[in-house]
Amino acid sequence: MIPFQAPTDEIFYSLRIFAGDTPRWDAELSQEITQHFAAFAEGVLAPLNEPGDRQGCRLENGRVRMPDGFGAAYAELATSGWQGLTAPEALGGQALDHLTAAAVSEIFSGANHSLQMVTGLVPGAISTLLANGTPEQQATYIPHLTSGDWLSTMCLTEAGAGSDLSRIRCKATREGDAWKIYGQKIFISGGDQDMSQGILHLVLARTGAPEDGVKGLSLFLCTSEVDGTRNAITVTRIEEKLGLHASPTCQMEFDGATAELIGDEGRGLAAMFTMMN
Ligand SMILES: Cc1cc2nc3c(=O)[nH]c(=O)nc-3n(C[C@H](O)[C@H](O)[C@H](O)COP(=O)(O)OP(=O)(O)OC[C@H]3O[C@@H](n4cnc5c(N)ncnc54)[C@H](O)[C@@H]3O)c2cc1C
């Protein structure tokens, strides 16, 4: 195993120089909290990195199985509250600052980048819900994310629609009171896994005509289960990559998956940028 030592001192040396005068940022407290995460990263996350990469993820009976030990490590991460670090306290978070979250994320990536890619989309999903969701959507979804019961994904990329998202073909249609999503997404990090009870997929889909380009795209919340039954979302393959074998990069089929619009129709790309940034 390649030994991992979290570069906490170096990170905080830089943060103090470049962000030391950030209002309401308590550098001492921030470093103390980060040191707790560093101990977890060195003792639990990093030792799983190499064996996890060797074992990789598997697709079994349509479900993604993570490498040995990843489920237990995620449970420890979630119960320690790291998934809701910056989320509002009223929604189950710790209301900490984004500089601390950045330091934690940096250390997580160094210790076990594969696992970080699967768990690390939650803060973006929470920010997207806070910026674009209704109070009901925020109250419904965010507590599941801060508690760690659910993880989240961002579903943008399609074959032929990677850098150029104006070419997205995945379609959302209104059927009765619900929206249904039809189409295929590729390269979706954490498209499925067996660590969390549920997954909240944030899906960019076309509600307008193809010639509307990005103005015809809207953002949807699509849960892995609806009323206790699996939603119509299937992982059809895990992409083979040069590395990051413990991060399931999934090809996904949406076959009339039930979804809920978040934000305004036709403003999906702007909402998704909150998630990506
Ligand atoms: C490990 C991994 C995880 C990923 N996870 C996710 C995820 O969770 N969700 C998701 O939606 N997507 C995900 N992606 C997909 C990723 O975001 C896309 O790969 C990316 O958007 C680029 O799309 P593409 O691969 O189709 O490349 P292309 O768009 O085909 O681009 C190929 C190359 O051409 C260059 N290029 C493209 N257009 C231009 C231009 N106009 N001018 C000059 N150069 C150009 C690009 O910079 C790139 O180097 C993941 C990809 C990887 C590898």
Side-chain angles (χ1 to χ4, degrees), residues 117 121 154-157 161-164 186-189 241 244 249:
M117 284 192 69
L121 289 162
M154 54 174 196
C155 303
L156 298 84
T157 307
S163 307
D164 185 0
I186 60 170
F187 291 156
I188 306 306
S189 298
K241 309 185 291 298
L244 293 173
T249 312

Side-chain angles (χ1 to χ4, degrees), residues 63 65 140-141 144 149-151 180 191-194 196-201 221-234 252 254 256-260:
R63 297 301 311 271
R65 305 282 166 225
T140 302
Y141 295 107
H144 287 293
D149 287 349
W150 292 3
L151 281 168
K180 300 281 179 180
D192 188 33
Q193 35 73 24
D194 56 0
S196 66
Q197 286 170 27
I199 304 176
L200 177 65
H201 302 285
L221 303 169
C222 202
T223 51
S224 53
E225 293 198 359
V226 179
D227 298 331
T229 310
R230 286 202 70 75
N231 206 350
I233 308 167
T234 316
M252 299 170 71
F254 292 77
T258 302
E260 196 179 309

